[in-house]
Amino acid sequence: MGRQDTPNSGAGRNRSPKTAAQKSATGKTAPRAGRKPSPAVYRRRRLFAGVALLLVLCLIAGGVATLTSLLGGAQQASSAQDSTQDASAEGAAQTGATPSASPSATPSASPTCDQKLVTVKATTNKTSYAADEKPVLSLTVTNGGKLPCKVNIGTSQMDFLVTSGSDRVFSSADCQAASTDLVKTVAPGKSETANFPWPRNRSVQGCEKVPEGAVAGGGYYVFIAKLGAKVSPPTVFQLS
């Protein structure tokens, strides 16, 4: 008997049953699932990745440039402020170190006391004396100013003068054995006093000898105190 062929024998024996199903509507065969992408696809992917990376780098560079500009501006402002402060400090130091040549730099004269405000006063310890009492004549110098004054209150400047009418009875300067200077500083509103006990004797200018037993008798007398060119107002007292 001759061999019978099966329906799948012959030319269609080795064809896979899926071959027909894998054809597309256009008649082309679809690629298999495990097939690698073509070089064109790699190039497109690399181009896209490069563009994206370039954009990221541009954004980063722009941000860095902006931050650098801000930091640079702040640093310049800080440097300018420091420079201004340094210049001001240096100018102040130079101003303090260099004396001004203006007229105000010239020291003014120290104030001095007004000698016109230094006054002299004549007083007695009593207004009336008994026959056996010796009058005590006092010369008082007072500083009526607001500044201390140096005053010579030595015997070289003092004169205790006693008169009675036109009669020049006595002067402490007539027979003064020795005269001395005594300069003292009298504070404002303060006084210095010198006392002279008068034994009722008479004197003559130049210390000429007076008649023996010539003394001041009873009556009214005037006492005037002198200190240099300053003369006190007169004060009156009585001798019995």
Side-chain angles (χ1 to χ4, degrees):
M1 294 177 60
R3 189 177 58 181
Q4 296 181 352
D5 296 331
T6 64
N8 295 326
S9 63
R13 180 178 299 173
N14 296 327
R15 180 178 299 175
S16 172
K18 298 178 181 180
T19 304
Q22 292 174 350
K23 291 183 179 180
S24 65
T26 59
K28 294 182 180 180
T29 301
R32 293 180 180 179
R35 189 175 180 181
K36 296 181 178 180
S38 64
V41 174
Y42 273 116
R43 286 194 297 272
R44 286 195 299 273
R45 290 179 179 177
R46 290 176 180 174
L47 179 60
F48 177 77
V51 172
L53 180 60
L54 181 61
L55 290 175
V56 172
L57 292 177
C58 289
L59 290 175
I60 293 174
V64 171
T66 302
L67 181 59
T68 302
S69 177
L70 292 175
L71 291 177
Q75 185 176 5
Q76 290 178 357
S78 178
S79 299
Q81 184 177 4
D82 293 342
S83 298
T84 303
Q85 293 177 353
D86 293 342
S88 300
E90 183 179 0
Q94 290 179 355
T95 302
T98 303
S100 175
S102 61
S104 61
T106 303
S108 58
S110 299
T112 57
C113 77
D114 188 354
Q115 290 289 340
K116 293 179 180 180
L117 299 178
V118 177
T119 59
V120 175
K121 183 179 180 181
T123 58
T124 57
N125 62 332
K126 294 176 66 174
T127 58
S128 179
Y129 299 91
D132 58 346
E133 290 182 314
K134 295 180 180 179
V136 177
L137 312 179
S138 297
L139 181 156
T140 301
V141 56
T142 302
N143 179 8
K146 296 182 178 180
L147 295 174
C149 282
K150 290 183 178 181
V151 182
N152 188 348
I153 57 174
T155 56
S156 62
Q157 303 297 312
M158 292 181 180
D159 186 8
F160 295 79
L161 178 64
V162 179
T163 61
S164 179
S166 60
D167 184 13
R168 182 180 181 275
V169 179
F170 173 84
S171 171
S172 62
D174 288 343
C175 296
Q176 189 168 256
S179 62
T180 60
D181 292 329
L182 178 61
V183 178
K184 295 192 70 173
T185 299
V186 183
K190 300 298 181 179
S191 302
E192 293 287 341
T193 300
N195 298 318
F196 179 78
W198 178 44
R200 297 193 180 199
N201 65 318
R202 299 180 67 96
S203 68
V204 179
Q205 287 181 318
C207 200
E208 295 182 4
K209 188 176 179 180
V210 295
E212 186 177 350
V215 293
Y220 288 92
Y221 293 84
V222 175
F223 167 46
I224 296 175
K226 295 182 179 181
L227 185 68
K230 296 181 181 298
V231 180
S232 72
T235 184
V236 178
F237 63 97
Q238 184 182 11
L239 295 181
S240 298

